[in-house]
């Protein structure tokens, strides 16, 4: 699968979760529980997505795109800021001011990040990387996403090597914690792949 198709499917899935979260702002116990589940799904999907981008996509952007270092640095800065907000969501409960503030900020940040990637990075990457290269990268990222961390880990450095080593260890611990806490039940469905 072409890497840009892979990334687009993830982006559409995350944007769908954001739209659902924006609609569901009720205060009943059932509404707050549904909001918590949706927010957890957003945290999981965003954490997996950013981890595989940091492992594979941004290094390729650096390697192939003119000014790729600058573009990747900007994107990773956005991702790091989002990880801190996602961690605040993890550490609080729906309806609490800290949760609602972090959720509002992360939804805006995610939209801004997606717009930056799709409008500024992807066109340059598509010109710089061959169709075969994009296809191979998409397959790598699709495989890696299955084993990616499900939590944000804002204190873990965002570099490719760190994500491929410490990130994998964090992913194993995340999956154990998810199973023990029942959080695995809040996993969002995998986006359909073309």
């Amino acid at each position: 699968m072409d890497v840009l198709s892979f990334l687009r499917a993830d982006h559409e899935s995350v944007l769908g979760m954001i739209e659902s979260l924006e609609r569901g702002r009720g205060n009943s116990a059932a509404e707050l529980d549904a909001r918590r589940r949706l927010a957890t799904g957003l945290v999981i999907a965003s954490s997996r997505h950013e981890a595989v981008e940091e492992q594979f996509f941004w290094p390729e952007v650096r390697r192939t795109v003119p000014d790729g270092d600058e573009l990747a640095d900007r994107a990773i800065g956005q991702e790091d800021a989002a990880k801190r907000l996602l961690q605040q969501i993890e550490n609080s409960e729906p309806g609490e001011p800290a949760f609602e503030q972090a959720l509002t900020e992360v939804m805006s940040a995610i939209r801004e990040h997606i717009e930056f990637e799709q409008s500024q990075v992807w066109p340059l990457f598509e010109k710089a990387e061959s169709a075969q290269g994009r296809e191979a990268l998409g397959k790598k990222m699709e495989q890696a996403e299955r084993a990616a961390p499900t939590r944000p880990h804002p204190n873990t450095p965002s570099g490719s090597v760190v994500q491929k080593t410490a990130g994998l260890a964090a992913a194993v611990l995340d999956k154990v914690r998810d199973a023990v806490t029942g959080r695995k039940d809040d996993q969002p469905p995998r986006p359909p792949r073309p």
Side-chain angles (χ1 to χ4, degrees):
M1 162 188 308
D2 180 274
V3 66
L4 299 181
S5 297
F6 170 83
L7 293 171
R8 181 172 283 109
D10 273 3
H11 287 177
E12 289 172 2
S13 176
V14 165
L15 290 170
M17 287 182 239
I18 288 172
E19 288 172 11
S20 294
L21 282 160
E22 287 174 331
R23 285 192 303 269
R25 295 201 183 255
N27 290 320
S28 72
E31 290 167 321
L32 290 173
D33 185 57
R35 190 162 178 73
R36 180 194 56 76
R37 289 179 180 279
L38 272 171
T40 298
L42 179 66
V43 169
I44 292 168
S46 296
S47 297
R48 286 192 309 225
H49 178 83
E50 300 310 340
V52 297
E53 275 191 338
E54 290 169 8
Q55 287 176 34
F56 299 101
F57 185 67
W58 297 121
E60 281 301 303
V61 168
R62 289 180 190 283
R63 188 181 70 74
T64 61
V65 175
D67 297 322
D69 285 335
E70 185 178 313
L71 292 168
D73 288 345
R74 181 173 169 195
I76 290 170
Q78 292 171 339
E79 292 169 0
D80 286 346
K83 285 179 198 176
R84 289 187 292 280
L85 293 167
L86 292 168
Q87 189 62 55
Q88 285 181 287
I89 292 167
E90 281 281 290
N91 294 342
S92 54
E93 293 294 324
E96 291 178 0
F99 178 95
E100 298 302 331
Q101 180 67 33
L103 186 59
T104 297
E105 288 179 30
V106 83
M107 289 188 300
S108 175
I110 288 171
R111 282 189 170 116
E112 181 181 320
H113 179 67
I114 288 172
E115 172 62 27
F116 170 70
E117 275 189 37
Q118 291 183 347
S119 68
Q120 296 183 42
V121 178
W122 290 7
L124 297 172
F125 184 75
E126 191 168 29
K127 286 180 188 173
E129 183 65 69
S130 70
Q132 295 87 354
R134 291 192 312 270
E135 186 75 22
L137 185 58
K139 286 179 184 175
K140 275 189 214 175
M141 289 177 68
E142 189 172 17
Q143 285 180 320
E145 192 176 56
R146 291 184 190 103
T150 60
R151 296 171 190 264
H153 301 286
N155 297 321
T156 301
S158 299
S160 174
V161 173
V162 173
Q163 287 298 323
K164 288 179 181 177
T165 55
L168 291 177
V172 170
L173 291 175
D174 287 353
K175 287 172 183 20
V176 169
R177 287 174 60 196
D178 291 350
V180 169
T181 64
R183 186 175 182 265
K184 70 178 183 135
D185 298 336
D186 297 331
Q187 297 272 342
R190 299 263 184 211
R193 304 293 184 198

